[in-house]
Amino acid sequence: MLAVHFDSPGGPENLYVKEVPKPHPGEGEVLVKVSASALNRADLLQRRGKYPPPKGASEILGLEAAGTVAGFGSGCKGRWRVGDTVMALLSGGGHAQYVTVPEGHLMPVPADMTFAQAAAIPEAWLTAFQLLHFVGKIEEGETVLIHAGASGVGVAAIQLVRLAKAIPIVTAGTQEKLEATANLGAAAGFNYKTEDFSEKVLAFTQGSGVDIILDCVGGSYWEKNLNCLKTDGRWILYGLLSGGEVHGDFLARLLAKRGSIHTSLLRSREKEASLGLTVETLFFRQYKERLVGAFTSTVLPHLCAGARPRLRPLVHSVYPLHRIAEAHAAMEENRNIGKIVVEMPP
C-alpha cells in the first residue's frame, strides 16, 4: 500500500509517499481501507521528531481516518461487516491506504456525509468531547473559553458547548477566523494578536470570569488565563503551542482562585506484549471505547441530516496524498479554518 513517510525529522519537504507493507489486523482489530484522513498538530510534531508515536502504534502519521471495512482479525464481535463505511480514532497510521483499528474505536459514517467530511471528525471532535465532558464536567449555563477557536478542536468545541446548553467564547488570530467562529455559535470572540483577551473575557462575563478554559497554547497564556478564570474554575491544558515554561506567582494565584488544572492527551500510550494485549493496552482501549460509545450515542445523531440542532464538521481544504507536504505547510502557516483533509488515491 501507499503511505506517507519521512526519513529524518524536519520540515514538510521531508515528506514523501512510498510503498509499504499493508498491515494485518490483530486480535479485536478491523482492517479499514482508507478514503480520507486529516491533519492534526500532533502530525506536525511527530514529523519534527518531537512527538513519537506510542510504543506499539504505527510509525505512519495520521490520527483519524474514514473509509470502508476491508477485513477482521480474530476475536472481533461482529459489530461491523465488510463494506461498512466507518470513521476511526487512531494512535497512528491514518495517512495510508489501509489501517488497522480496534473495533470499538470505529464509528459509522452518517449516510449524507462524504469521506472527506467524516475524516474531519474523529480526533478533533472526540478530543473536544472528552475535554468538555470526561475532563471538564461541563454544566448547563457555564461559560467556556476556547483558545484556537478556528482549529479543528475549536470548531468542534464551540458546537459541543452549545449542545450542552453552555456559552462558548473564543480567541483567534484574524477577523476572518472570528467571523467563522461566530457563525458556528461563539457568543464572543477576541483577537489575541491585537487585544488583551483576559480583559475582554472579564468584560463579557461582567467581571466573574469563565468556568472552563480549553487551552492548547500553554506557557505564554498562563497569566491571562488566570486573570479571567472564575473562582473554582477548571483550566484544561491539552497542548503547548507556546511551550511549557511558567514563571512568577502562578501557584499562589491559582490557589487564591481555588482553580484546578487538568491535563489531557487523547493519543494512547498503548504497549504491545509479545503475546496478546497487556493490561495497559486493554485499559486504554476500554477508555477510548467508552469515549467513542458516549460520543456515538449523544453527539453523532446531531451530525446527521435533519437533526436539531445540527452539528457539522468544517473542512478547510482537501489535498491528494501526493501533496502531503503542501498540506503540512498550510497547517504550519496557520491558514486553516477547520480541518485540512488528505484523500487517498483510489
Side-chain angles (χ1 to χ4, degrees), residues 56-126:
S58 173
E59 297 283 338
I60 298 169
L61 301 174
L63 301 183
E64 56 197 336
T68 54
V69 172
F72 303 94
S74 62
C76 287
K77 299 177 181 178
R79 303 179 187 182
W80 308 99
R81 296 182 179 180
V82 171
D84 283 349
T85 58
V86 292
M87 48 190 178
L89 176 66
L90 309 171
S91 296
H95 294 355
Q97 289 179 302
Y98 289 89
V99 68
T100 57
V101 189
E103 64 175 338
H105 298 180
L106 293 171
M107 298 175 284
V109 175
D112 63 324
M113 191 173 286
T114 67
F115 283 125
Q117 292 170 321
I121 291 174
E123 177 68 17
W125 283 75
L126 284 166

Side-chain angles (χ1 to χ4, degrees), residues 22 103 112 191 276 287 289 312 315:
K22 185 168 74 173
E103 64 175 338
D112 63 324
N191 188 328
Y287 178 85
E289 189 165 340
R312 60 187 179 93
V315 175

Side-chain angles (χ1 to χ4, degrees), residues 29 51 53 108-109 139 143 153 157 179-180 228 238-239 294 303 309 319 333:
E29 291 185 332
Y51 191 24
V109 175
E139 296 183 4
T143 303
V153 173
E179 290 173 0
C228 63
Y238 70 100
L303 287 158
Y319 290 82
E333 293 170 9

Side-chain angles (χ1 to χ4, degrees), residues 18-66:
K18 78 170 189 176
E19 193 169 295
V20 300
K22 185 168 74 173
H24 297 284
E27 183 180 353
E29 291 185 332
V30 176
L31 180 68
V32 175
K33 186 179 188 298
V34 179
S35 293
S37 185
L39 292 190
N40 292 278
R41 292 285 171 184
D43 297 313
L44 276 60
L45 291 172
Q46 183 176 333
R47 190 204 69 226
R48 297 178 197 142
K50 297 181 178 181
Y51 191 24
K55 185 177 180 181
S58 173
E59 297 283 338
I60 298 169
L61 301 174
L63 301 183
E64 56 197 336

Side-chain angles (χ1 to χ4, degrees), residues 226-233 252-259:
L226 271 177
N227 285 344
C228 63
L229 184 68
K230 195 174 189 176
T231 300
D232 295 317
R253 293 179 59 187
L254 182 66
L255 181 62
K257 286 199 169 184
R258 302 194 302 271

